Amino acid sequence: MKKTGIVKQKFDRDFALDNKALDEENRTVEIAFSSEEPYERAFGSEVLDHDPQSLRLGRLDNGAAVLVNHDSDDQIGVVESARVDDDRRGRAVIRFSKSKRGQEIFQDVIDGIRSLVSVGYRIHKYDVTEREGESDLVRVTDWEPYELSLVSIPADPSVGVGRSEITEPEPKAAEGKTEIIKEKTMKEETQKVESPAFDEKAEKTRIRAEE
């Protein structure tokens, strides 16, 4: 069973950052960025498979960007290395920039102000298991993390797609039922009073009578 809007789309997941793994001198921190915990999305219950052949770690290992809130214009570091451990979790060591912005965000991590990390990834292959009375189980068997972010607000799981880079289409009005809701202003609520048309003949008669 195929699902629409999954393959090659961009998704993200959030995980708590453990600042015990901080190395202040080298400006690095080790983070867990993924697991096999089910995650409810619009297309079903998503599970990211963590078999070695299921993850494409090449982009992370090649110095992928560390961003703030998945903003490609707000890079504050790089990924030093990435791996999958025996507990079937994806982990990475990230290094923060010496730039003013990088130092600012790193200090927030040290102080425990920023404690949420999010992984951006693409899905290449998946298997679907239909379940009676439950959402479909979507096991992602080939996926590619491409960036890591420190985020201030976690993604909304009810939306179900990469909120930072995918825009949900606006709902269409039902056929034949177009409803327009507009807030009225004082001017619109005031009844317009039209002036009577000018009657030149009647005006001349009035002037003669006054004379």
Side-chain angles (χ1 to χ4, degrees):
M1 177 182 178
K2 287 190 175 181
K3 298 277 186 178
T4 58
I6 296 182
V7 174
K8 299 296 178 69
Q9 289 280 26
K10 298 176 181 179
F11 297 85
D12 58 63
R13 282 206 192 187
D14 306 316
F15 293 84
L17 188 153
D18 183 5
N19 61 7
K20 294 179 182 177
L22 275 166
D23 182 339
E24 293 189 43
E25 182 178 354
N26 293 312
R27 305 183 317 284
T28 62
V29 61
E30 183 175 289
I31 60 172
F33 64 84
S34 64
S35 73
E36 292 194 343
E37 184 72 19
Y39 191 84
E40 287 299 325
R41 294 196 181 275
F43 52 74
S45 182
E46 178 197 67
V47 173
L48 297 175
D49 192 278
H50 278 65
D51 284 339
Q53 67 271 18
S54 296
L55 272 77
R56 303 186 186 189
L57 294 177
R59 295 184 69 170
L60 294 187
D61 279 330
N62 286 330
V66 177
L67 309 174
V68 176
N69 293 325
H70 299 288
D71 184 351
S72 59
D73 292 326
D74 197 2
Q75 182 176 354
I76 44 87
V78 294
V79 178
E80 293 275 271
S81 63
R83 67 183 191 275
V84 176
D85 287 335
D86 292 339
D87 61 356
R88 302 182 75 81
R89 283 179 173 266
R91 288 186 171 85
V93 175
I94 62 175
R95 176 168 54 86
F96 288 82
S97 167
K98 290 182 179 179
S99 67
K100 182 179 178 181
R101 178 64 166 161
Q103 291 177 5
E104 171 194 336
I105 300 300
F106 187 46
Q107 189 61 52
D108 282 348
V109 172
I110 293 171
D111 294 339
I113 294 172
R114 292 182 181 268
S115 59
L116 199 63
V117 63
S118 182
V119 56
Y121 59 95
R122 289 184 176 89
I123 293 174
H124 295 285
K125 293 180 183 178
Y126 60 90
D127 295 324
V128 178
T129 302
E130 295 182 348
R131 302 184 295 185
E132 187 175 352
E134 296 182 78
S135 61
D136 292 345
L137 176 63
V138 180
R139 189 169 191 87
V140 180
T141 56
D142 184 358
W143 59 285
E144 181 179 20
Y146 61 90
E147 58 92 355
L148 300 175
S149 284
L150 294 177
V151 293
S152 52
I153 301 175
D156 180 358
S158 66
V159 177
V161 294
R163 271 67 63 182
S164 62
E165 301 191 54
I166 296 180
T167 303
E168 289 291 306
E170 295 182 2
K172 296 181 180 179
E175 187 176 352
K177 293 184 180 181
T178 303
E179 182 179 2
I180 300 176
I181 300 174
K182 183 173 72 173
E183 184 178 349
K184 293 183 178 180
T185 64
M186 288 292 291
K187 184 177 180 180
E188 290 173 329
E189 291 181 335
T190 304
Q191 183 178 4
K192 183 178 179 181
V193 179
E194 296 183 358
S195 301
F198 180 71
D199 190 334
E200 183 179 358
K201 184 177 180 180
E203 182 65 14
K204 288 181 178 179
T205 302
R206 184 186 64 78
I207 293 173
R208 289 195 206 98
E210 289 177 352
E211 292 176 344

